[in-house]
Amino acid sequence: MSNIKTPFRYTITAALPYTNGPIHIGHLAGVYVPADIYARYLRLTGKDVAFVCGSDEHGVAISMKAKKEGVTPKDIIDKYHAIIKQSFMDFGITFDNYSRTSAPVHHKTASDFFTTLYKKGDFIEETTAQLYDEEAQQFLADRFVIGTCPKCGNEEAYGDQCENCGSSLNATDLINPKSTITGTVPTTKETKHWFLPLDRYEDFLKDWILKGHKDDWKPNVYGQCKSWIDGGLEPRAVTRDLDWGIPVPVEGGEGKVLYVWFDAPIGYISSTKEWAAREGKDWKPYWKDKDTKLVHFIGKDNIVFHCIIFPSMLKAEGSYILPENVPANEFLNLEGNKLSTSKNWAVWLHEYLVDFPEMQDSLRYTLTANAPETKDNDFTWKDFQARNNNELVAILGNFINRVVVLTNKYYDGKIPATGSLTNVDTETLEQLTKYPEIISSSIERYRFREAGQELMNLARLGNKYLADEEPWKIIKVDEERVKTIMNVALQIAAGLAVLSEPFLPFTSNKLKNILNLSSSGTERSRSLNWKDVSNKEALLKPEHQINKGELLFRKIEDAEIQTQLDKLEATKKANENENKQVMPQKDTITFDDFSKLDMRVGTIIEAEKMAKAKKLLVLKVDTGLDVRTIVSGIAESFKPEEIVGKKVTVLVNLAPRALRGVESEGMILMTENADGKLVFVNPDEDGVGNGEGIN
């Protein structure tokens, strides 16, 4: 369990996104939405929080993108850093600082970190054989090599990791390696590098993780760490032969850079430094004080780096705290297929914000409700629509709308005073006061999906209370009773305004404006915090004036969802076309061979399906020479009635062949289009008659 009973401050990090593409929903569900919920919650409870992130602008992924697009790495990072940073802001991710690893403060921090470990003798210096592309005249970093995984046989494993079985690899481990730059088979060439001897830290990691965090780390995180440690750790290179990155700052490091996995996590420290300098704070307590709780939010592909390698680096340096928790999520798929930046199989955040303006919370809610916390999960547009319409609109939005409309109708927007409370009133208000602790418990155990559903349960409580008490009926016979009912309902609405902020920040602000509550605390009496929902006798006092209502959410129509599905279908077809293999050229023939083929123009005059044959049609074709029967395997692509009257190209001197008892006297020429659909190879020009030869 955590060694910190009551942390004095919190440092929260979210995985640095690669600037080789925009942010998609997989990134949001895996890292940024849960991290933002946690940071917002802690601030609402009065905690000192530094929530930091930044663009990861080094590494092979950037170089590969630049080569592919024919531009410089700086062109790539500047383009995507701007898109990513703006998308996060528009989506309401409340980083205290969003930096970038190309920043001078990061280069200095990472260089100093390396130099400190170098001077302490914590690195091993070795000359090893590395893969080298003779044609490109450069060493091949891990992602510039592809080959067969020696552990599972996957033929598309990278030089650092097999994405099929998850094994960590060295490029030299690959069977049949190939350069992704030129496609050639690489040679090996000796080069000098520095290695972090992870094997020296095995005892420390066993004690710190396997003993110290057995009960409080998520099973998927603990299990992956245990597998790595039990398998034995080996030294890992911290430098690479590349021309893009942070130069190795010691003698002999010319032409080499810090390996991205070494410099990227240091980006959390440099981002904190940048924030502290801007805010006039001291950064050190957030990284070096034992009363600080450090939490890393990452996806499962980064577990090893944040739980084994980065902590070993921090331990080697000696003055830094270690993470208290690393609540890594599994992967989110899209419509049943793995998300892929390179294949454009994604819902991109910046495009979503254009297609669904002012609907950030609908996506935040769906991604939280469907979060891949313990296993891979699937995002579908139909589920997104259902959660928006059936939960946000029909439950939360419906409750708030009824409360606000009735309060304005009956009392001109002024909160009525309560009369005597019934048992139902008392029980309902008591349940309201329990929700801050219920939701807190889930959040502090990193169960954000559970926490979000508890928030919706509070809205359900409000709906049930109104439905059971029926103030719209009671108003006709007992006006005093309705004042109490509406007061209770309004307290629930105020509770939702506060407790929804971590999950639905835009909705929370709307609701606070409707209820005339201050979110900034300009008037202390009107500012509510998390604990007030449990402790305050009344969140909204009698005579407090609320504003006119507005709809918190809008219904999403089927046509909008179909547009998104059509976009994905177009992407799928584009990928299929790109990957489609062109049939190789057949053996060379002579002109005499070709001249033996007698191809004529013909017209299909009859067509019917062959009995008990799924693929075959029996055709009557007027070839100009005669009318003959041809059996063609096109029944899955064409209906018989569609092709009667169709002009076709016929090979007429093909030897007859019996197919299921029907003698076929020729062959219709066909090809496949880009979508894989059969197409007739036919003469379209007017005036081309049956029987005319094709030369």
Side-chain angles (χ1 to χ4, degrees):
M1 297 295 289
S2 170
N3 295 320
I4 307 175
K5 299 268 190 205
T6 357
F8 188 80
R9 68 186 67 76
Y10 291 77
T11 300
I12 303 168
T13 75
L16 307 185
Y18 270 134
T19 44
N20 67 330
I23 292 297
H24 59 57
I25 57 170
H27 302 132
L28 294 172
V31 178
Y32 304 108
V33 169
D36 190 59
I37 291 172
Y38 190 63
R40 284 177 176 273
Y41 158 73
L42 290 174
R43 294 190 196 106
L44 267 175
T45 56
K47 300 298 192 298
D48 180 2
V49 174
F51 180 25
V52 296
C53 189
S55 293
D56 185 354
E57 299 179 331
H58 299 137
V60 182
I62 310 299
S63 299
M64 290 176 76
K65 185 82 170 181
K67 284 182 183 294
K68 184 177 180 181
E69 296 190 8
V71 297
T72 68
K74 189 174 187 308
D75 292 331
I76 295 294
I77 65 173
D78 287 346
K79 173 185 175 180
Y80 288 112
H81 171 75
I83 292 173
I84 291 169
K85 186 175 182 181
Q86 190 62 49
S87 295
F88 279 144
M89 288 177 61
D90 293 343
F91 198 57
I93 303 297
T94 53
F95 296 124
D96 289 300
N97 196 61
Y98 188 81
S99 189
R100 55 194 305 186
T101 59
S102 61
V105 65
H106 176 69
H107 274 242
K108 184 175 188 321
T109 302
S111 295
D112 289 349
F113 201 106
F114 179 91
T115 303
T116 298
L117 268 57
Y118 176 81
K119 288 179 177 178
K120 290 175 67 175
D122 285 312
F123 294 133
I124 298 171
E125 188 176 311
E126 284 187 7
T127 298
T128 59
Q130 299 287 322
L131 296 183
Y132 188 82
D133 187 324
E134 296 285 356
E135 187 175 321
Q137 290 289 293
Q138 72 175 69
F139 283 98
L140 295 173
D142 42 37
R143 290 272 158 165
F144 280 127
V145 188
I146 197 167
T148 301
C149 173
K151 298 185 180 180
C152 74
N154 172 30
E155 294 181 354
E156 296 185 349
Y158 289 109
D160 62 341
Q161 187 178 37
C162 174
E163 294 189 350
N164 183 56
C165 68
S167 297
S168 178
L169 303 169
N170 290 312
T172 50
D173 296 333
L174 293 175
I175 301 166
N176 301 323
K178 183 174 68 174
S179 167
T180 61
I181 301 173
T182 63
T184 60
V185 176
T187 60
T188 56
K189 190 173 180 179
E190 288 195 337
T191 183
K192 181 175 70 174
H193 283 293
W194 288 267
F195 292 76
L196 181 67
L198 291 177
D199 47 318
R200 290 183 195 170
Y201 301 95
E202 275 193 26
D203 289 341
F204 149 68
L205 293 167
K206 285 177 181 177
D207 185 64
W208 175 59
I209 299 176
L210 302 189
K211 291 181 182 177
H213 288 292
K214 186 175 183 179
D215 297 323
D216 64 325
W217 281 16
K218 293 172 69 172
N220 61 322
V221 177
Y222 183 86
Q224 193 175 134
C225 291
K226 187 175 188 307
S227 176
W228 264 70
I229 295 168
D230 288 349
L233 301 176
E234 297 177 355
R236 194 173 179 97
V238 299
T239 59
R240 268 294 183 260
D241 292 290
L242 280 173
D243 56 2
W244 178 250
I246 299 174
V248 174
V250 296
E251 187 177 344
E254 297 78 14
K256 303 178 192 298
V257 298
L258 300 183
Y259 203 171
V260 68
W261 66 255
F262 182 88
D263 99 75
I266 296 171
Y268 301 138
I269 302 170
S270 58
S271 185
T272 309
K273 285 183 176 181
E274 195 174 71
W275 164 73
R278 187 180 68 243
E279 299 295 323
K281 292 175 176 282
D282 181 4
W283 71 272
K284 291 186 181 70
Y286 292 89
W287 281 95
K288 299 193 174 189
D289 191 311
K290 62 181 178 61
D291 289 328
T292 298
K293 183 173 182 175
L294 172 63
V295 182
H296 295 311
F297 283 87
I298 59 168
K300 70 176 177 181
D301 52 337
N302 270 320
I303 289 173
V304 169
F305 299 109
H306 287 74
C307 297
I308 291 179
I309 297 173
F310 188 43
S312 296
M313 291 163 53
L314 297 174
K315 183 72 173 174
E317 198 279 344
S319 68
Y320 286 85
I321 58 173
L322 299 172
E324 280 293 317
N325 215 311
V326 186
N329 274 353
E330 300 293 291
F331 288 154
L332 185 73
N333 296 322
L334 172 60
E335 299 287 351
N337 293 310
K338 185 177 178 181
L339 281 154
S340 172
T341 297
S342 61
K343 295 179 181 176
N344 195 32
W345 188 255
V347 176
W348 303 107
L349 177 55
H350 67 294
E351 292 182 359
Y352 171 87
L353 293 169
V354 172
D355 293 346
F356 295 91
E358 298 184 12
M359 294 188 70
Q360 297 96 325
D361 284 350
S362 296
L363 184 58
R364 286 178 69 113
Y365 179 76
T366 301
L367 294 178
T368 303
N370 208 20
E373 292 180 346
T374 55
K375 61 182 178 62
D376 289 358
N377 227 332
D378 196 37
F379 176 93
T380 69
W381 279 109
K382 290 290 187 184
D383 178 67
F384 166 76
Q385 180 187 27
R387 289 193 182 277
N388 180 84
N389 294 354
N390 302 339
E391 296 176 35
L392 291 177
V393 174
I395 299 173
L396 177 55
N398 178 59
F399 170 67
I400 296 300
N401 185 57
R402 288 201 289 180
V403 171
V404 173
V405 167
L406 292 177
T407 303
N408 278 292
K409 180 179 179 181
Y410 298 157
Y411 312 113
D412 293 327
K414 289 186 177 179
I415 309 297
T418 59
S420 58
L421 299 177
T422 66
N423 288 339
V424 172
D425 300 334
T426 303
E427 288 171 8
T428 301
L429 290 171
E430 283 178 358
Q431 285 186 67
L432 168 62
T433 63
K434 291 176 182 176
Y435 270 96
E437 180 55 36
I438 291 171
I439 296 173
S440 289
S441 175
S442 297
I443 290 176
E444 290 178 3
R445 288 176 294 137
Y446 310 103
R447 297 181 179 180
F448 302 104
R449 186 167 61 190
E450 180 180 277
Q453 289 309 300
E454 290 295 353
L455 175 73
M456 193 56 66
N457 285 340
L458 177 56
R460 289 187 175 97
L461 172 70
N463 265 325
K464 184 177 186 308
Y465 177 75
L466 277 184
D468 290 347
E469 298 305 308
E470 298 181 313
W472 46 87
K473 290 184 180 178
I474 303 298
I475 192 74
K476 298 172 185 176
V477 294
D478 190 346
E479 291 185 4
E480 289 303 309
R481 172 63 189 148
V482 172
K483 290 178 182 178
T484 300
I485 295 170
M486 293 310 302
N487 185 290
V488 171
L490 283 157
Q491 304 308 322
I492 296 173
L496 284 166
V498 176
L499 301 182
S500 65
E501 184 176 328
F503 309 93
L504 308 169
F506 296 89
T507 305
S508 174
N509 282 337
K510 277 187 189 177
L511 185 47
K512 286 173 183 174
N513 287 332
I514 292 170
L515 298 178
N516 199 18
L517 292 169
S518 169
S519 57
S520 59
T522 50
E523 291 183 29
R524 188 171 182 81
S525 62
R526 293 168 60 203
S527 177
L528 296 176
N529 62 41
W530 194 267
K531 291 181 180 177
D532 287 339
V533 180
S534 295
N535 300 337
K536 266 202 167 190
E537 187 175 334
L539 299 173
L540 294 173
K541 294 182 179 179
E543 296 302 307
H544 173 81
Q545 181 73 50
I546 70 169
N547 296 314
K548 296 294 182 183
E550 62 172 307
L551 291 179
L552 296 182
F553 309 99
R554 71 165 181 84
K555 190 177 178 184
I556 296 173
E557 302 299 334
D558 291 345
E560 296 175 84
I561 296 302
Q562 191 58 50
T563 297
Q564 299 302 322
L565 292 172
D566 290 345
K567 189 190 294 186
L568 287 176
E569 187 61 30
T571 294
K572 186 180 289 186
K573 286 184 177 179
N575 287 334
E576 288 171 356
N577 293 341
E578 188 174 324
N579 297 327
K580 189 176 174 65
Q581 296 288 326
V582 177
M583 184 185 296
Q585 179 179 304
K586 296 181 180 180
D587 292 341
T588 301
I589 63 172
T590 66
F591 180 78
D592 289 340
D593 292 327
F594 175 74
S595 64
K596 292 177 184 177
L597 301 176
D598 188 352
M599 291 181 287
R600 304 287 180 114
V601 176
T603 301
I604 299 173
I605 57 175
E606 292 181 24
E608 63 179 10
K609 283 188 175 181
M610 178 177 277
K612 299 181 180 180
K614 185 178 179 183
K615 297 182 178 181
L616 301 179
L617 291 183
V618 180
L619 312 176
K620 294 286 187 184
V621 182
D622 181 352
T623 68
L625 303 172
D626 52 25
V627 174
R628 63 178 64 187
T629 300
I630 297 177
V631 179
S632 183
I634 60 174
E636 291 183 316
S637 298
F638 301 98
K639 294 178 181 177
E641 60 270 20
E642 292 176 341
I643 58 175
V644 172
K646 188 84 175 173
K647 278 194 179 299
V648 292
T649 302
V650 188
L651 180 60
V652 295
N653 65 335
L654 185 67
R657 181 184 176 193
L659 293 169
R660 291 181 175 261
V662 177
E663 190 167 84
S664 181
E665 303 172 286
M667 179 180 288
I668 308 291
L669 270 62
M670 309 290 296
T671 187
E672 283 188 359
N673 66 11
D675 295 329
K677 182 182 177 183
L678 287 175
V679 178
F680 289 102
V681 178
N682 65 333
D684 289 327
E685 291 295 325
D686 292 337
V688 178
N690 291 346
E692 295 190 14
I694 296 173
N695 303 312

